[in-house]
Amino acid sequence: MKSKRFSKLKIFGLAILGLVAVHYIFFRAPSEAQMIAKFHQRKAEFEQIRLMLKQDKNVGTIGNNWIEAQLGPDKIQSPKNKKQGIVTLHRLPLNLSASRIALYRSRLRKLGFSRVDAHDGRVQLEQFGGGFTDTTWGIGYMWSAKPLTPLVKSAYWERPNKDDRHFSHIEGNWYMYHRR
């Protein structure tokens, strides 16, 4: 009986070890050096997306499978929208052609992003996120017209409090962020 129990525990342990290995191999965040190098190598492509969003002023989010509009204070109609500042595409047309949306998605995919968010004078490109339920976190890039705070030496290593972000300056108005 002990041998059956031991073998079940052994199998369970190996399964857990296998899951951890798969997670480590396939779902690892890039290092801070890799993220900074990517930004410098592909800065022109980051800027293309930012300039597109500047032209398409009412775009809030472009993702793989959805689009959201950004509302100005004069267009907010319901308490829910007032709180969020966004509505989904089916409630507010963005007046973007299918080819323009495809161009956004193509450029995002080429850079390895699944979405871009533009709100409050900021452009956010999340590079990697993970976690479970209330312990999620993410790292990425952010462009901001105004300086961002709190500014830390390394947003990658200084973990913020829940629902906060830390920023480290990369260049110009571009920052790397760590959210929790």
Side-chain angles (χ1 to χ4, degrees):
M1 214 171 203
K2 284 186 178 184
S3 63
K4 282 185 181 181
R5 185 174 180 207
F6 179 72
S7 64
K8 286 181 182 179
L9 284 174
K10 196 176 195 180
I11 291 169
F12 180 73
L14 289 173
I16 295 295
L17 183 63
L19 288 173
V20 168
V22 166
H23 177 75
Y24 182 76
I25 292 168
F26 295 106
F27 301 106
R28 275 188 14 211
S31 71
E32 182 176 27
Q34 288 172 321
M35 288 190 63
I36 291 170
K38 177 180 180 173
F39 174 81
H40 288 296
Q41 291 166 357
R42 305 191 74 185
K43 181 181 174 190
E45 295 168 88
F46 281 60
E47 283 292 325
Q48 286 176 335
I49 292 171
R50 185 187 68 78
L51 292 172
M52 287 174 68
L53 289 164
K54 188 176 179 182
Q55 293 169 349
D56 302 326
K57 295 184 187 313
N58 65 336
V59 171
T61 300
I62 301 266
N64 285 337
N65 302 321
W66 79 98
I67 301 171
E68 290 179 339
Q70 180 172 213
L71 290 178
D74 58 328
K75 296 180 182 174
I76 296 172
Q77 299 162 351
S78 73
K80 182 180 179 186
N81 291 343
K82 187 173 187 176
K83 183 179 178 185
Q84 295 177 349
I86 55 174
V87 294
T88 56
L89 177 62
H90 69 274
R91 288 194 243 152
L92 180 72
L94 287 173
N95 299 322
L96 289 179
S97 68
S99 62
R100 183 75 168 178
I101 294 168
L103 181 60
Y104 271 108
R105 289 179 174 153
S106 167
R107 288 183 174 174
L108 289 169
R109 216 174 8 261
K110 188 176 175 185
L111 285 168
F113 300 114
S114 62
R115 68 188 266 178
V116 61
D117 297 295
H119 296 288
D120 303 322
R122 296 178 179 181
V123 173
Q124 175 183 303
L125 296 157
E126 189 156 303
Q127 179 66 49
F128 188 85
F132 301 101
T133 63
D134 65 340
T135 60
T136 63
W137 60 277
I139 56 172
Y141 306 93
M142 188 173 290
W143 182 93
S144 177
K146 298 176 185 174
L148 297 174
T149 57
L151 208 54
V152 295
K153 184 176 179 180
S154 172
Y156 197 88
W157 293 109
E158 296 186 37
R159 189 171 180 182
N161 294 326
K162 186 175 179 180
D163 299 324
D164 285 339
R165 292 173 194 262
H166 283 162
F167 303 96
S168 57
H169 186 252
I170 301 174
E171 174 183 300
N173 291 30
W174 284 98
Y175 297 81
M176 190 163 56
Y177 74 86
H178 183 178
R179 72 162 173 81
R180 181 169 167 232

